[in-house]
Amino acid sequence: MFEHANLVPGRREAIVEVHRPAPLALVPSAPVVPVQPGTIPAVTTIVLPDGRVVTGYSLEPAKPEPVAAKPPVSRAAVNIALGGIGFGAVCGGLFLLTAFITALTALITQLITLAAVVFGGWVAVQVFSASGHSGGNTFNIRKAVFKRNHFHG
């Protein structure tokens, strides 16, 4: 937030920035106990650009506490995590392989069934066809001849 001093015409004044700190967090804290400094701090005088003089004690700026370093991640933990990811990938791959083999088996079963139905239908049409000629399909089974359901030995 910036507040500017009133400028008087004909007179140049410097712009003064006023900073108002906002509280970072509203947490209840312990009561502040005044502590006497071990040594008396030096008095400091500052002359502002507009000619005003400010006198006061100079204080050491508060030093933030060092941030605790994060502990390094152990190699064993990394290896266990990567092993778990690899195990999950292998399980997923095996599941997909099993699903593929199951689908391929079902496809082959259906193709065999289709071939049996088509071939069986063709044989049935050949055997039971009511064509005018006396011939027909001849099936030789152990040197015996079956011609249209009649044994010819």
Side-chain angles (χ1 to χ4, degrees):
M1 172 188 297
F2 298 106
E3 292 181 10
H4 301 289
N6 294 331
L7 296 178
V8 177
R11 183 174 155 196
R12 296 190 61 149
E13 293 186 71
I15 297 175
V16 178
E17 295 181 5
V18 178
H19 297 277
R20 293 195 176 116
L24 296 177
L26 298 175
V27 291
S29 62
V32 178
V33 178
V35 177
Q36 293 295 328
T39 60
I40 298 174
V43 176
T44 306
T45 302
I46 299 173
V47 179
L48 297 176
D50 62 351
R52 294 182 292 165
V53 177
V54 177
T55 304
Y57 293 107
S58 62
L59 300 176
E60 286 277 330
K63 294 180 182 174
E65 294 182 21
V67 178
K70 292 183 181 179
V73 178
S74 69
R75 284 180 105 47
V78 171
N79 290 338
I80 289 172
L82 292 176
I85 293 170
F87 180 76
V90 168
C91 288
L94 289 176
F95 175 75
L96 289 176
L97 180 64
T98 305
F100 175 74
I101 291 173
T102 304
L104 187 62
T105 303
L107 176 67
I108 292 171
T109 304
Q110 288 179 354
L111 289 176
I112 291 172
T113 305
L114 178 65
V117 168
V118 169
F119 181 72
W122 179 78
V123 169
V125 167
Q126 297 300 320
V127 170
F128 297 115
S129 65
S131 60
H133 58 82
S134 62
N137 289 332
T138 302
F139 294 96
N140 296 323
I141 300 174
R142 293 187 188 162
K143 295 185 179 179
V145 177
F146 289 92
K147 215 177 209 189
R148 295 194 63 148
N149 295 333
H150 295 288
F151 176 72
H152 298 281

